[in-house]
Amino acid sequence: MDALVQFTNQSQGKDRIFRATQYACALSVYLLRSSDRRDVAAKLKSLENSMSTGRKLLRLGNTVNAIDAAKRTVRLSDRVLCLCLTLANANRALYFICDNLLWARSVGLIRHVDKERLNLNASRFYFYSLVMNLTRDLYAVLQLMMQKGRDAHLKEKMDRHLNESPEVAEVIVPQLDAFVFLLIESLKSHPAVALDTVKNICDLFIPLDKLGFYKSNAGVTGFCGLMSSLISILTLARPGLRLKP
Ligand SMILES: *[C@@H]1O[C@H](CO)[C@@H](O)[C@H](O)[C@H]1NC(C)=O
């Protein structure tokens, strides 16, 4: 089992590159939709499909990986982090179970499963996992802002900022201005939190569209998927930019 976990961890980079390619193709197909380059669009569409199928195979070990992660996060001493991350990982594990069954069905290993329902459940679990991840991001941001709010040095800077632009402070409520100032300072000092939040928001558009909560189009989901994959690749290449635990 440990070897499997280790192997799937190692294949994360490959999966991210395939995912970036998959969504880049989806976005290009969308952008080419009204031009007469139908041949190119058809090739890109088939590349997109093979990336998606290839990734399903790479994801076979991910259920074990997600359960393993959940076992680790359940021991976190911070109650909020423990709850958010364990629920996120549990939902991720359920998502991968659906995903693996879909793969098994697509290669003919199993037959008697309802593909539509599995697809819907996969999107649902993925969505819950993202919502828990975003709750955790919000918690991290609020913690940072409270920390910054107590920082005397930053308070001085904030007062100066509010005095320098009194028109802004008058038009917009001063509290709101101070809030935005603190928010920006917090995100600037911890880019890992900012990146994780942007990544999770981008990812959210995909299940929102599939579940019909918010219908966007193939262009939006392609763009968001590409953005989130690129951020993932960045955080794999630069572990300092990854949000921990
Ligand atoms: C939620 O966050 C965890 C830890 O950062 C990550 O491993 C997981 O992939 C995220 N879930 C989704 C659905 O992106």
Side-chain angles (χ1 to χ4, degrees), residues 85 88-89 92 126 129-130 133 136 196 199-200 203 243 245:
L85 288 178
N89 282 321
R92 200 159 61 99
Y126 185 66
S129 172
L130 282 174
N133 274 2
R136 175 266 176 97
D196 199 65
K199 176 184 160 290
N200 284 325
D203 274 336
L243 188 58

Side-chain angles (χ1 to χ4, degrees), residues 5 15 21 39 75 88 91 106 126 173 182 198 216-217 219 221 224:
V5 171
D15 177 68
T21 313
D39 48 335
R75 285 195 294 258
N91 277 298
S106 72
Y126 185 66
V173 200
L182 262 185
V198 175
S216 39
N217 57 43
T221 51
C224 289

